[in-house]
Amino acid sequence: MPNPPDLSHLVNAVPGFIWSAGANGEVNFINQRWCDYTGMTQQQASGHGWTASLHPEDAEGLLHYWVALMQEGTAGEYEARLRRQDGVYRWFLIRAVPQHDEHGTVVGWYGENTDIEGRKQAEEALDRVRSEMAHLARVASLGALTASIAHEVNQPLAGIVTNAGTCLRMLAADPPNVEGAMETARRTLRDGNRAADVIKRLHALFARHSVMAEAVDVNEAAHEVVTLLLGELRRNGVVLQVQFAKDLPAIKGDRVQLQQVILNLILNAVEAMREVPGALRQLRISTTLEPRQCVQLAVRDSGAGFDAEAIGRLFDAFYTTKPNGMGMGLSISRSIIEHHQGELWATLNDGPGATFHFCIPLPDLLWE
């Protein structure tokens, strides 16, 4: 039987970075592949010297995670960028496993770093595609919003024209009605600001944006979408009921993408009620804070619903129950919600219609 290979040769032959550390987290060994990649010597990397290879944006997060991992004494993993000796940073998955003695006490750590640069680039490309698809879906929804937009903009514009004419007449009077003209001018400014607000909301909703993580008030985000859709709802004879939970905590995510999901769910509900008699077209939009510490939004309609057998296919790409539908809206919406670590699902109502829900965990659960 051949002699086993020298352990040091085996460790250096592994296509990854192998390292070990003491119970206090200070590195006491790093394989040659790590040294060749970073250009650092074993002596330079020992202790906490290895942290010099971390990307400045990743260093603090990794070190906090490492300290927490040592306190828990459990295995873990973290993604961070490491600097190559030519100054280029690449993404690595850093894994650490504790070594215990016979009493269960952690006496050391073993770890391995795997290059995941290719995977990260693929994820970024997927995010860009998802963002483009969401943008296309928003633009595709513009046709259904035309009447609503015209109504929302025409109201304040009509007020501006009327107030401007009234103001001129007051100033042309003998003597001029200066006080009345000033009040009319104030009303003109108010209507001008209303029109500007509508345009600003439309620009935010239909402009192309990259994914942004920010604090999002779901109540406020939903209210803005509903405001844009009021004309569409009235034109279709839909009775709207809004039940927003008070003191709803903010979630973390991309506001524009989440508004796209809300927009799509509401427009789908309106479409589902097209064949329902006018008085029975009821739409309810509600938000709640769930016991599992997530913010939930639900859109309930009184339409025709869907076949129970189809519930598993509703969110599949290109599957649609509409005669002229593309089958992309719900699929894109699910991708957006899952990107926010949440869930999107549908249920049949006890009475007529269906309810679509999405639930997104609170920030403390996602970025703790």
Side-chain angles (χ1 to χ4, degrees):
M1 187 174 182
N3 293 326
D6 183 271
L7 185 59
S8 62
H9 291 163
L10 183 62
V11 169
N12 288 322
V14 172
F17 303 158
I18 306 298
W19 53 270
S20 65
N24 60 359
E26 293 187 3
V27 169
N28 50 39
F29 171 79
I30 287 181
N31 71 343
Q32 189 59 42
R33 281 187 180 271
W34 193 94
C35 296
D36 293 341
Y37 174 87
T38 61
M40 298 174 67
T41 65
Q42 292 248 6
Q43 184 177 3
Q44 290 172 327
S46 63
H48 298 290
W50 61 275
T51 59
S53 67
L54 290 172
H55 192 288
E57 294 178 4
D58 303 333
E60 184 177 358
L62 174 57
L63 294 177
H64 284 169
Y65 181 79
W66 183 220
V67 170
L69 204 64
M70 287 190 293
Q71 291 174 346
E72 295 173 3
T74 57
E77 58 184 41
Y78 196 91
E79 294 180 1
R81 287 163 287 184
L82 299 179
R83 187 183 64 242
R84 201 165 59 190
Q85 59 179 326
D86 60 0
V88 174
Y89 286 93
R90 293 179 65 86
W91 281 99
F92 282 81
L93 177 62
I94 302 172
R95 296 188 178 97
V97 178
Q99 179 190 15
H100 299 91
D101 61 15
E102 62 274 15
H103 304 294
T105 303
V106 175
V107 295
W109 294 85
Y110 292 112
E112 190 264 344
N113 303 352
T114 304
D115 190 320
I116 57 170
E117 180 67 25
R119 192 192 82 186
K120 295 294 286 189
Q121 290 181 3
E123 289 176 352
E124 290 174 3
L126 180 60
D127 283 342
R128 287 194 295 272
V129 171
R130 182 185 290 115
S131 180
E132 289 294 321
M133 292 296 289
H135 170 70
L136 291 175
R138 287 194 295 273
V139 173
S141 301
L142 186 56
L145 284 169
T146 302
S148 178
I149 293 167
H151 177 81
E152 292 297 327
V153 176
N154 281 339
Q155 269 197 330
L157 289 182
I160 291 171
V161 173
T162 300
N163 288 330
T166 302
C167 186
L168 288 174
R169 288 195 299 273
M170 289 181 171
L171 291 175
D174 189 16
N177 185 351
V178 177
E179 185 177 345
M182 290 180 64
E183 175 59 28
T184 306
R186 281 191 287 267
R187 292 177 183 175
T188 303
L189 287 174
R190 178 201 63 193
D191 289 337
N193 288 329
R194 281 178 57 197
D197 286 341
V198 172
I199 299 301
K200 184 166 64 176
R201 288 197 300 269
L202 288 170
H203 181 269
L205 191 58
F206 289 99
R208 183 181 286 108
H209 293 281
S210 57
V211 177
M212 294 178 58
E214 59 181 338
V216 179
D217 183 328
V218 174
N219 285 348
E220 184 179 282
H223 177 73
E224 290 179 357
V225 174
V226 169
T227 300
L228 285 176
L229 287 171
L230 284 176
E232 176 74 3
L233 297 177
R234 282 193 291 266
R235 187 168 67 89
N236 285 277
V238 175
V239 177
L240 175 65
Q241 181 183 13
V242 174
Q243 295 179 343
F244 288 164
K246 293 182 179 180
D247 302 321
L248 196 66
I251 60 173
K252 193 171 185 180
D254 188 292
R255 181 187 189 89
V256 174
Q257 287 198 353
L258 292 174
Q259 286 184 315
Q260 162 58 19
V261 174
I262 298 169
L263 171 72
N264 188 60
L265 296 182
I266 295 176
L267 290 178
N268 281 354
V270 173
E271 180 72 22
M273 294 186 288
R274 284 274 162 82
E275 304 303 320
V276 174
L280 300 178
R281 296 177 188 173
Q282 298 180 354
L283 176 68
R284 186 176 72 194
I285 305 170
S286 60
T287 59
T288 54
L289 177 61
E290 295 298 294
R292 52 191 173 130
Q293 291 300 290
C294 73
V295 171
Q296 178 172 314
L297 180 139
V299 177
R300 178 188 176 103
D301 65 63
S302 59
F306 49 82
D307 293 334
E309 306 85 60
I311 195 166
R313 302 181 59 196
L314 285 175
F315 301 98
D316 291 348
F318 305 114
Y319 177 80
T320 179
T321 58
K322 303 175 186 176
N324 300 314
M326 292 179 59
M328 291 301 297
L330 287 177
S331 177
I332 292 171
S333 296
R334 182 179 62 176
S335 295
I336 291 173
I337 296 302
E338 288 180 347
H339 188 65
H340 287 75
Q341 308 302 313
E343 298 177 69
L344 173 63
W345 71 98
T347 56
L348 286 168
N349 299 336
D350 292 337
T355 303
F356 284 79
H357 324 246
F358 71 72
C359 201
I360 296 179
L362 296 180
D364 289 345
L365 300 181
L366 292 178
W367 288 272
E368 58 186 2

